[in-house]
Amino acid sequence: MSILTILQTVGSLFTGFGALLVFLQFRQRNIQFVTEFEDSLTKEYRDIVQDLPVKARTNEEVDWEENKRAIYQYIDLCNEQVFLRQNGRVSETAWNSWQDGMESNIQEGVFKEGWSRIKSDTDSFKELKQVEEEGWDTDPYHWENVSFLEMVRRWIMGKRRKRPF
């Protein structure tokens, strides 16, 4: 084997290794973007809940009319979170946490009353209605059949947190 052949082989290996590192860095950056995005939605939740009186969070009687806007914003945020998970834009870990929060908030107190009124008055919020119909134990990411190529694309883009390796 000549030196030229050895150098070409080593060069090819380094090129492949470099390409792999670029791919992994690209994927890691996408996962970081997803995490930052999830954090921004968590902040939005805190901002909405902050507008409600403290007694709304302690399951005491609260005036629906007085707090209608914040309750509607919360329901809208929940529906958006379901939609985002359905489209692979948030991680399974974040989704499980959000789903637990939705279940506990919407099944008691002011949010329960608000959700009951809102869902009966509109055809909107289909995604959140489906989560409720499935007993608050579902993953919207798996609601539709996704092709193998779409799963690969989602994995490359870092939209799935479960790594196959």
Side-chain angles (χ1 to χ4, degrees):
M1 204 184 255
S2 72
I3 299 240
L4 184 58
T5 306
I6 293 173
L7 289 176
Q8 286 176 333
T9 303
V10 170
S12 295
L13 289 173
F14 278 122
T15 301
F17 184 67
L20 177 64
L21 286 177
V22 168
F23 168 77
L24 292 174
Q25 187 176 22
F26 170 77
R27 188 171 180 283
Q28 185 60 38
R29 185 66 187 134
N30 280 322
I31 291 170
Q32 185 177 356
F33 282 138
V34 169
T35 301
E36 290 170 4
F37 179 66
E38 292 168 353
D39 290 345
S40 74
L41 289 170
T42 301
K43 182 184 180 321
E44 186 176 340
Y45 163 75
R46 287 189 186 123
D47 291 344
I48 290 169
V49 173
Q50 182 178 349
D51 290 342
L52 290 169
V54 173
K55 64 182 181 176
R57 288 175 265 159
T58 59
N59 215 10
E60 295 179 40
E61 190 67 31
V62 176
D63 182 28
W64 155 252
E65 290 299 323
E66 209 174 282
N67 298 288
K68 187 185 329 186
R69 180 180 174 168
I71 295 166
Y72 186 89
Q73 286 176 325
Y74 174 71
I75 298 298
D76 188 49
L77 175 64
C78 289
N79 196 69
E80 181 181 357
Q81 289 171 328
V82 176
F83 175 79
L84 292 169
R85 177 62 186 155
Q86 185 177 13
N87 289 285
R89 299 221 23 228
V90 295
S91 68
E92 183 177 4
T93 303
W95 167 248
N96 289 333
S97 174
W98 292 349
Q99 184 172 232
D100 289 345
M102 287 177 207
E103 179 182 14
S104 64
N105 283 337
I106 291 177
Q107 290 189 336
E108 49 187 57
V110 69
F111 289 117
K112 180 178 182 177
E113 179 184 352
W115 175 232
S116 177
R117 289 179 182 221
I118 290 169
K119 74 178 174 183
S120 66
D121 292 344
T122 183
D123 289 333
S124 299
F125 308 118
K126 288 179 173 60
E127 292 87 355
L128 185 58
K129 288 175 182 176
Q130 184 172 345
V131 170
E132 181 182 42
E133 287 168 8
E134 295 190 23
W136 302 101
D137 187 26
T138 184
D139 188 345
Y141 186 80
H142 301 290
W143 283 353
E144 60 187 58
N145 291 329
V146 179
S147 70
F148 176 74
L149 290 176
E150 176 62 13
M151 287 191 303
V152 170
R153 186 192 69 76
R154 288 177 178 183
W155 182 80
I156 289 171
M157 297 303 291
K159 293 183 179 175
R160 285 201 63 159
R161 288 309 192 100
K162 286 188 174 178
R163 296 186 183 104
F165 49 87

